[in-house]
Amino acid sequence: MPEITEKLRKITNDPTLSPAQKAHYLAVEAENMLPYPELDADVQEALDDRIICDMFEGHAPYKPRYVLPDYSIVLKNGSDYLELPVPQNLDEAINTLMIAYHHVPSVTGMPVYLGDLDNLLLPFCDGVSDDALRQKIRLFWRYLDRTLPDAFMHANIGPSDNRVARAILEIDAELGQVAPNLTFLYDPDTSTEDILRLATDNILKCSKPHIANHPVHKATFDDRGYGIVSCYNALPVAGGSSTLTRINLKAVAELSDSESHFLNEVLPRYMDMNFRLTETRISYLFDQSGFFDSFLVSEKWIDRDRFTAMYGIYAMAEAVNILQDKAALEGRYGFDDKANDLGLRISKMLSEAVEARPLKNAWQGRAMLHSQAGLSDDIEATPGIRIPYGTEPDPVSHVQALAPQHQYYPSGVSEILTIDETVKNNPEALYQLCKGALASGFREFTANVSSNDLVRVTGYMIRLSDVQKFNDQKGSRTNTTGLGAEAADLMGILDRKPRVVGHELSPGYT
Amino acid sequence: MNSPLATLNKILTCSFVDGPGNRLVLFFQGCNLACSACHNPYTIGICDHCGDCVPACDPGALTLQSNKVIFNPALCDQCDACLTICPISASPMTTQFSVDDILALIRIHKPFLGGITVSGGEATMQADFVKDLFTAIKSAPDLSDLTCFIDSNGMLDIAGWQNLLPVTDGVMLDIKAFAMDLQKELTGHDTSAAQNIARVLLKAGKLYEIRYLLIPGKTDNTAELDQLVAFIQSLGLDTKVRLNAFQHHGVRGLALDQDIMPKEGVDAVVELLADAGIHNVTTPAIYQ
Ligand code: SF4
Ligand code: SF4
């Protein structure tokens, strides 16, 4: 195994990585020295060709990709396993959460979900002054960014307008940190216009939070609720997602002769293979890894029945354009009504096929369709259902072209609107865009204002100045900067016009 | 409604720089000034169908039919050759719209809009259309929450403004220069009436913003800036002032020999205004 030894040595000696980052990459390499769970020959071939993809989650799924604990349980009951008493005040509640996070795994090894923080903390805020609250949040935020430096890590607030949500927005803008990422759940019936304005004003300062369409998500999930994590993923709370697999629609379109060949033969074949891949991975997690013997289950932070499987697709734009070419049609995805309609037919077919397929060990017995953001080594494949980089129309046309798609993607759509800097003189415009996008059916409103130092590279944030430093070989404290730097180099995001590329993560060492 | 038609050069359905919030903007064709530093000079003239641009159009988007130049947008590849050749700074690529056409367009974009703005060119040269359009918006229950703004050079007379103001929510007013010879040099006209119009608008509560284009060596000299300060002070220290910086984008001819206005220069003017108590000042978000 000289090759792997060499790679391990390279990781060990890499001057740009911290010891913790080295340990993470070494663990990934070790897992991948195990044989992959057994796949049939067709699936193996499609996976090797990356027509279907397992997001390089690893050869031995011993933890779900995303875990969204119901943190209200530990705040209410304390934890026997962790020897935590029931918290009695705000300090103890925050301390309990800070400890809890370290026991929640995910694909990156760090927690992706920090909870619906305002609802969790509000009951502890009686008698706490606004100043004291802000100071406690400030320290909490500093702690999160410095000890769990992964921008996939996501806090939720809203839909109500309350003092904790306001303090979080204020401190988040004040600190301008990469972590944690933040989503405000907006419900026109519950949220005030005032807090939505605070949220959209924050986007101008630090490109956070993103705004989730609460009524739409609420209708998708059950009474225990949902959380938004990582890259625009909406998932069941007290559960999460076991895995995320995805289909490269561009590659499938290349193998098809026509739209009907694509929809009726080639895509169904690869969808079936992607299902088989998903089943294999879930079965390892549930039947072999022992993950669900954890105290997380016995103490009811999570429930083994509440893990879905995210069924991702990407490169819709390229797929539609290829099929348009094959039909000798000129219209391009995102710009032409006929091309957009073809995109809708594809999404509808995908959605019906996912709905029709029973899946063992999945929440409600089904996978959930997802418009997937990408990996940092995707080349010439546009994330999810997005319009290709650098060619997007103005933000309103952009929303209007894609809004009808959103109904088909219950576990989320990775979408970023690039807004030019002139909006900084006119915050009301961003507020109106946000309301318009949500009213049009967008599941999430996520905007990047071009001159911000903090920008999104898919669901996570990077600091442009960190990328610069990373490329100067100094290394970065935050894990996502490496991914951003890779994406920035490959896709040229930094010399593009206000630009964000979609790459969810680059899971291994390169 | 038996309204006049508007001759429009362009419609933007999403703009952050033409008044408060996100706005749909109508760019009217035709202007009563001829500013050398105009950033969209092809909106100045009104086409007289001389036909000069027809042979310049390679893709054949322009044809002469019974002495009229007809534009076929489907064939146009946006090369702008026609704009360059036109002797009177007009454009053959304009389109006529009725009030109902515009209302239909606004309805499509309504969920995203704070309002609409008429710009140009000089929109008030087609004041009848503007009035009809604004009146229709104000009286349509599904549109009446949109605000109606005018971007103007202030050359419309007072009676014309009195006619428009009841259906107008705000005006962005250009002040070109103060010294008479400089006004003439920059615009070809005496534009001092605009200062008076500013007072009329202020009194009516409709002055949204004063716009002033900084051109190095012209509108940024001490005498001009002193007058700008005095003028704004006379309107009130809270007056919203937008400083624009002359750039080469879009301009033509001799104006290309003119230096562009750097950010440092704009910042110095902001400081000067601040020292005079004028604090509500916006500056360009982007420089070339
Ligand atoms: S656009 Fe200019 S050149 Fe063309 S026909 Fe009209 S006036 Fe003549
Ligand atoms: S801009 Fe269009 S109409 Fe004008 S010359 Fe070019 S192709 Fe012809």
Side-chain angles (χ1 to χ4, degrees):
Chain A
M1 282 193 229
E3 201 184 314
I4 184 68
T5 319
E6 203 176 296
K7 188 163 186 191
L8 297 180
R9 180 73 68 201
K10 210 171 149 212
I11 294 172
T12 316
N13 292 347
D14 188 330
T16 69
L17 297 178
S18 72
Q21 288 165 331
K22 291 176 185 181
H24 170 68
Y25 286 126
L26 289 169
V28 168
E29 294 304 329
E31 180 187 342
N32 290 341
M33 289 163 75
L34 295 170
Y36 207 92
E38 196 167 323
L39 300 170
D40 62 69
D42 287 347
V43 174
Q44 186 66 57
E45 194 187 332
L47 182 62
D48 291 343
D49 294 344
R50 290 289 147 192
I51 300 171
I52 62 175
C53 171
D54 61 359
M55 302 295 292
F56 306 94
E57 280 176 359
H59 289 194
Y62 61 95
K63 59 201 172 176
R65 180 178 184 89
Y66 299 127
V67 178
L68 284 73
D70 179 351
Y71 291 109
S72 71
I73 304 281
V74 63
L75 291 180
K76 197 167 92 218
N77 304 336
S79 165
D80 283 344
Y81 178 81
L82 295 175
E83 298 177 49
L84 291 173
V86 178
Q88 303 298 330
N89 58 40
L90 186 56
D91 284 334
E92 291 179 14
I94 291 176
N95 184 258
T96 300
L97 290 175
M98 284 166 33
I99 293 167
Y101 297 149
H102 282 276
H103 300 272
V104 178
S106 79
V107 66
T108 60
M110 301 216 195
V112 290
Y113 184 59
L114 301 177
D116 51 336
L117 282 180
D118 53 347
N119 297 319
L120 291 170
L121 296 179
L122 263 178
F124 297 94
C125 287
D126 291 348
V128 178
S129 73
D130 284 343
D131 276 349
L133 175 60
R134 275 193 294 268
Q135 180 59 8
K136 290 176 202 299
I137 301 278
R138 194 177 281 116
L139 295 179
F140 185 27
W141 242 231
R142 183 200 287 173
Y143 162 85
L144 290 170
D145 181 71
R146 305 305 191 278
T147 64
L148 298 167
D150 191 298
F152 289 100
M153 183 175 70
H154 220 109
N156 290 188
I157 53 175
S160 73
D161 181 350
N162 61 70
R163 40 194 297 247
V164 177
R166 282 176 177 255
I168 286 175
L169 286 171
E170 191 179 322
I171 299 304
D172 198 51
E174 174 192 306
L175 299 179
Q177 298 175 162
V178 170
N181 210 333
L182 186 64
T183 290
F184 175 71
L185 314 180
Y186 175 70
D187 182 343
D189 291 336
T190 319
S191 315
T192 60
E193 303 220 321
D194 227 37
I195 192 152
L196 181 62
R197 265 202 186 84
L198 278 181
T200 53
D201 285 355
N202 265 27
I203 295 175
L204 293 178
K205 294 175 199 145
C206 59
S207 286
K208 289 192 277 179
H210 55 115
I211 320 277
N213 196 333
H214 184 61
V216 170
H217 290 301
K218 201 171 153 222
T220 303
F221 293 90
D222 57 13
D223 286 349
R224 280 205 82 178
Y226 72 97
I228 303 286
V229 301
S230 179
C231 206
Y232 324 101
N233 308 331
L235 297 170
V237 160
S241 184
S242 297
T243 183
L244 164 58
T245 54
R246 59 176 190 159
I247 300 180
N248 180 346
L249 295 178
K250 176 189 180 188
V252 177
E254 279 167 347
L255 296 170
S256 308
D257 307 332
S258 65
E259 176 187 340
S260 71
H261 188 224
F262 175 86
L263 285 177
N264 300 324
E265 284 179 50
V266 190
L267 184 55
R269 188 159 76 237
Y270 282 99
M271 283 194 77
D272 180 55
M273 285 189 238
N274 197 55
F275 270 116
R276 273 143 54 201
L277 174 66
T278 304
E279 283 159 354
T280 303
R281 299 190 59 80
I282 292 179
S283 134
Y284 189 96
L285 176 71
F286 277 74
D287 303 334
Q288 294 193 57
S289 78
F291 172 79
F292 292 98
D293 301 333
S294 151
F295 80 99
L296 296 171
V297 178
S298 59
E299 294 194 3
K300 299 201 164 40
W301 299 25
I302 58 173
D303 179 336
R304 79 180 255 150
D305 296 335
R306 294 184 61 80
F307 284 82
T308 187
M310 295 172 68
Y311 196 100
I313 57 96
Y314 72 112
M316 172 70 85
E318 287 78 8
V320 166
N321 291 342
I322 288 168
L323 294 175
Q324 288 280 100
D325 287 345
K326 294 197 175 182
L329 293 170
E330 279 185 7
R332 297 293 95 174
Y333 181 74
F335 296 89
D336 174 78
D337 288 346
K338 281 212 186 101
N340 292 346
D341 285 348
L342 171 55
L344 276 181
R345 287 195 293 280
I346 296 172
S347 290
K348 183 158 183 280
M349 181 264 168
L350 287 162
S351 156
E352 286 168 358
V354 170
E355 274 304 301
R357 172 99 168 207
L359 194 65
K360 208 176 142 216
N361 286 322
W363 178 65
Q364 298 191 339
R366 294 289 184 282
M368 292 177 87
L369 193 59
H370 180 62
S371 166
Q372 203 276 325
L375 285 167
S376 48
D377 54 3
D378 290 343
I379 293 168
E380 287 168 15
T382 302
I385 57 164
R386 279 189 214 164
I387 299 170
Y389 314 130
T391 69
E392 303 94 326
D394 72 78
V396 171
S397 309
H398 189 157
V399 170
Q400 287 169 332
L402 294 188
Q405 288 274 3
H406 280 228
Q407 59 183 312
Y408 296 120
Y409 295 88
S411 63
V413 177
S414 169
E415 183 62 75
I416 300 169
L417 294 177
T418 302
I419 314 275
D420 78 72
E421 264 180 273
T422 56
V423 81
K424 289 197 165 173
N425 284 333
N426 191 351
E428 186 70 9
L430 190 66
Y431 170 80
Q432 282 157 356
L433 283 182
C434 174
K435 284 192 86 166
L438 297 178
S440 307
F442 257 45
R443 302 185 91 91
E444 262 94 32
F445 175 82
T446 300
N448 223 19
V449 180
S450 60
S451 74
N452 281 343
D453 188 33
L454 268 185
V455 296
R456 290 180 187 283
V457 179
T458 82
Y460 59 89
M461 315 284 302
I462 57 169
R463 271 205 193 108
L464 293 180
S465 47
D466 281 353
V467 173
Q468 188 59 44
K469 261 191 258 165
F470 185 86
N471 287 341
D472 294 345
Q473 284 297 304
K474 292 186 193 116
S476 168
R477 191 177 51 73
T478 49
N479 277 349
T480 36
T481 304
L483 312 183
E486 198 178 308
D489 282 350
L490 270 177
M491 308 298 300
I493 60 166
L494 303 184
D495 25 279
R496 211 177 301 268
K497 66 173 201 174
R499 219 2 314 144
V500 172
V501 291
H503 298 105
E504 183 167 354
L505 73 166
S506 94
Y509 181 79
T510 44
Chain B
M1 209 183 306
N2 196 7
S3 299
L5 297 175
T7 302
L8 300 185
N9 183 279
K10 186 180 180 151
I11 298 175
L12 275 185
T13 55
C14 176
S15 166
F16 311 147
V17 295
D18 295 280
N22 179 43
R23 309 190 73 80
L24 184 140
V25 190
L26 307 180
F27 292 90
F28 285 68
Q29 182 71 31
C31 185
N32 38 18
L33 299 180
C35 303
S36 50
C38 183
H39 286 244
N40 33 4
Y42 49 85
T43 63
I44 295 174
I46 298 275
C47 172
D48 60 12
H49 299 279
C50 72
D52 286 4
C53 57
V54 173
C57 178
D58 277 342
L62 301 174
T63 47
L64 207 50
Q65 296 172 20
S66 38
N67 292 327
K68 284 215 167 243
V69 173
I70 306 292
F71 170 57
N72 178 356
L75 293 178
C76 171
D77 66 7
Q78 282 143 27
C79 70
D80 287 354
C82 52
L83 302 182
T84 313
I85 212 161
C86 176
I88 59 166
S89 294
S91 165
M93 302 181 286
T94 57
T95 315
Q96 304 241 305
F97 290 89
S98 70
V99 168
D100 285 344
D101 293 338
I102 302 297
L103 293 180
L105 189 68
I106 294 173
R107 286 198 167 92
I108 295 174
H109 296 274
K110 174 73 184 18
F112 301 88
L113 291 176
I116 90 147
T117 297
V118 295
S119 184
E122 175 57 33
T124 64
M125 287 179 71
Q126 300 180 52
D128 290 347
F129 181 90
V130 172
K131 188 171 184 197
D132 286 353
L133 175 66
F134 286 5
T135 306
I137 291 171
K138 301 275 168 210
S139 51
D142 61 329
L143 301 178
S144 59
D145 58 330
L146 295 175
T147 56
C148 298
F149 275 61
I150 300 174
D151 181 353
S152 173
N153 61 22
M155 298 306 286
L156 180 70
D157 61 19
I158 293 183
W161 283 108
Q162 300 296 10
N163 182 35
L164 282 176
L165 285 182
V167 288
T168 302
D169 297 291
V171 177
M172 278 91 60
L173 189 73
D174 278 354
I175 295 295
K176 303 287 185 187
F178 292 90
M180 182 59 65
D181 52 340
L182 187 58
Q183 291 180 32
K184 292 226 163 110
E185 178 192 338
L186 293 177
T187 74
H189 294 262
D190 169 2
T191 59
S192 27
Q195 293 167 43
N196 198 27
I197 294 301
R199 289 179 232 287
V200 173
L201 296 173
L202 179 70
K203 211 162 149 231
K206 306 282 167 92
L207 180 65
Y208 176 72
E209 179 177 273
I210 294 289
R211 297 184 163 180
Y212 189 78
L213 176 65
L214 289 166
I215 309 174
K218 310 258 187 219
T219 60
D220 71 341
N221 68 41
T222 317
E224 283 296 303
L225 292 176
D226 284 350
Q227 289 202 65
L228 176 68
V229 166
F231 174 64
I232 302 290
Q233 282 175 330
S234 77
L235 295 173
L237 293 177
D238 293 337
T239 305
K240 194 162 167 2
V241 180
R242 172 186 291 265
L243 295 176
N244 289 321
F246 175 76
Q247 307 284 303
H248 284 166
H249 170 78
V251 303
R252 285 185 186 163
L254 289 177
L256 287 172
D257 297 336
Q258 165 73 51
D259 287 340
I260 63 168
M261 187 72 194
K263 183 172 184 309
E264 301 72 47
V266 177
D267 291 343
V269 176
V270 172
E271 219 166 284
L272 181 92
L273 293 176
D275 288 346
I278 300 162
H279 54 91
N280 197 355
V281 180
T282 31
T283 54
I286 308 166
Y287 294 82
Q288 265 168 353

